[in-house]
Amino acid sequence: MDGPAGVKGMAEGADALILAGDICEYVSPANLRFLDSRLAELNTPFLAVCGNHDRAADIPDGYLYSRAKAPVQLMDLGDLLLIGLDDSCRRIAKAQTRQFLAALSQGKTVIVVLHIPIMTEGNRNLLLDCGDYFRLNHPEADEDTLEFIDLLRQNSSRIAAVLAGHLHFRNESEIAPGLRQYVSSQGILGNVNRYEIGEAEA
């Protein structure tokens, strides 16, 4: 579906709307007011993480979208837990990993939301062509970030999917056996993905 009307149409009736960063080309009061007005029209809860174009330091308090500033966000959907982590600076801090592990300890199936994706065997050539800036496990990634990625792999059976953005094109690959990463293309071009998690009804 194209444009904001498509987003609204797909979000209605969904359990959650997930915004994986770079919702604004740049942060300004006008952009935030417009974004808030669109979010307020929805009857769908949303989880948003910051991107490199809308970093936490640039977003003032007082807007609906201000919740994207949290280093870690949780959205409990009953049997499913959404965990959003701000990796817009190309790293995951140790404190974020501690919160991630605490959330995992609840025993629920989780979906992890990032902005910057992880390079995998399946997307390696694409991401190497894009450059180090477009992957979380870049050559200068610190130990805390690499530890987080290892923990994703170690807990792959408990994670339904990793969702990310940042690349400007759609991509799907496998982080570990059974754990897929879905990267969305640019929302500004009207790209919206709808994911259905769980058993298909007969």
Side-chain angles (χ1 to χ4, degrees):
M1 296 187 179
D2 294 329
V7 174
K8 183 176 181 181
M10 290 185 79
E12 293 295 338
D15 292 316
L17 172 66
I18 296 172
L19 304 172
D22 286 356
I23 305 306
C24 304
E25 175 68 21
Y26 59 91
V27 175
S28 71
N31 282 344
L32 291 171
R33 286 195 301 271
F34 175 77
L35 179 56
D36 270 21
S37 71
R38 300 316 298 260
L39 291 171
E41 291 175 1
L42 301 176
N43 295 316
T44 306
F46 74 92
L47 182 146
V49 297
C50 287
N52 54 294
H53 287 275
D54 48 10
R55 289 187 174 166
D58 298 327
I59 303 173
D61 294 332
Y63 294 93
L64 287 175
Y65 193 64
S66 299
R67 71 181 65 171
K69 296 167 57 172
V72 178
Q73 292 180 67
L74 303 178
M75 181 180 286
D76 193 334
L77 299 176
D79 292 337
L80 188 65
L81 183 65
L82 306 184
I83 307 176
L85 297 106
D86 180 1
D87 69 343
S88 59
C89 293
R90 300 168 64 221
R91 69 181 303 266
I92 296 289
K94 190 176 289 294
Q96 289 174 287
T97 297
R98 283 197 296 267
Q99 288 182 262
F100 169 72
L101 290 174
L104 273 184
S105 72
Q106 296 181 34
K108 298 186 178 187
T109 299
V110 306
I111 291 177
V112 175
V113 182
L114 306 171
H115 176 63
I116 299 176
I118 295 164
M119 186 172 74
T120 68
E121 288 302 315
N123 67 19
R124 176 178 298 276
N125 291 337
L126 281 171
L127 266 62
L128 287 175
D129 286 344
C130 291
D132 296 342
Y133 186 70
F134 289 91
R135 56 189 166 113
L136 186 57
N137 44 347
H138 53 88
E140 297 178 1
D142 61 22
E143 290 183 6
D144 293 340
T145 300
L146 297 177
E147 178 188 10
F148 169 76
I149 296 171
D150 283 342
L151 285 168
L152 288 180
R153 295 190 179 106
Q154 293 168 24
N155 292 278
S156 59
S157 64
R158 302 165 65 187
I159 303 171
V162 174
L163 307 181
H166 191 52
L167 294 185
H168 299 186
F169 58 85
R170 188 178 184 279
N171 180 256
E172 179 182 337
S173 64
E174 197 171 60
I175 294 174
L179 175 56
R180 300 199 71 77
Q181 174 178 251
Y182 300 93
V183 182
S184 297
S185 187
Q186 295 164 288
I188 197 170
L189 300 179
N191 293 293
V192 183
N193 296 316
R194 184 180 179 103
Y195 300 102
E196 296 187 12
I197 307 295
E199 298 292 332
E201 293 184 8

